[in-house]
């Protein structure tokens, strides 16, 4: 059991709307600057330590990358660092972006 859960784009949207979560973008800074999920925090090796020391481990995290693969490893990392509720967003930002264009 990895200690984290993979959730769909729809489940991620529902969690973002209904509770206090932190949205973690692990894509490269240029991609983040170009576009990202509203309120997402871009984390890299440059700022992850500060995030780990300043964020309550009880705060739920939703982690995303480009396609939903790298975020699984990042979700495991956050569980290892003591976060209690961690989600990897299936399909990543690309699927999120496509759902934004198909919804009314």
């Amino acid at each position: 059991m990895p200690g984290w859960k993979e959730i769909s784009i729809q489940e991620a949207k529902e969690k973002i709307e209904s509770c206090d979560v932190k949205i973690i973008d692990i894509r490269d800074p240029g991609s983040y600057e170009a576009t990202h999920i509203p309120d997402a925090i871009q984390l890299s090796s440059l700022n992850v330590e500060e995030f780990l020391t300043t964020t309550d481990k009880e705060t739920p995290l939703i982690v995303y990358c480009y396609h939903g693969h790298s975020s699984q490893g990042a979700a495991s990392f956050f569980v290892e660092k003591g976060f209690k509720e961690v989600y990897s967003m299936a399909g990543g930002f690309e699927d999120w972006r496509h759902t934004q264009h198909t919804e009314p």
Side-chain angles (χ1 to χ4, degrees):
M1 186 76 174
W4 53 269
K5 181 182 177 197
E6 185 171 64
I7 59 173
S8 69
I9 301 295
Q10 187 58 42
E11 289 171 310
K13 288 179 182 179
E14 289 168 7
K15 285 200 175 295
I16 291 166
E17 292 171 5
S18 68
C19 63
D20 183 25
V21 299
K22 292 214 182 275
I23 310 157
I24 308 301
D25 185 325
I26 62 165
R27 299 174 306 145
D28 69 272
S31 295
Y32 175 83
E33 288 298 322
T35 184
H36 57 270
I37 294 174
D39 300 320
I41 302 165
Q42 199 277 327
L43 286 183
S44 69
S45 59
L46 300 176
N47 62 353
V48 71
E49 285 303 319
E50 179 183 353
F51 178 83
L52 293 173
T53 59
T54 60
T55 304
D56 182 354
K57 302 293 191 276
E58 299 294 325
T59 303
L61 304 180
I62 297 175
V63 185
Y64 72 91
C65 57
Y66 293 100
H67 299 286
H69 303 293
S70 298
S71 59
Q72 294 176 13
S76 292
F77 170 80
F78 288 115
V79 168
E80 289 169 12
K81 295 299 182 181
F83 285 87
K84 308 288 187 241
E85 190 177 344
V86 182
Y87 303 95
S88 172
M89 193 171 73
F93 185 76
E94 288 304 308
D95 279 4
W96 175 282
R97 187 171 58 86
H98 290 303
T99 64
Q100 299 309 300
H101 295 301
T102 58
E103 292 179 359

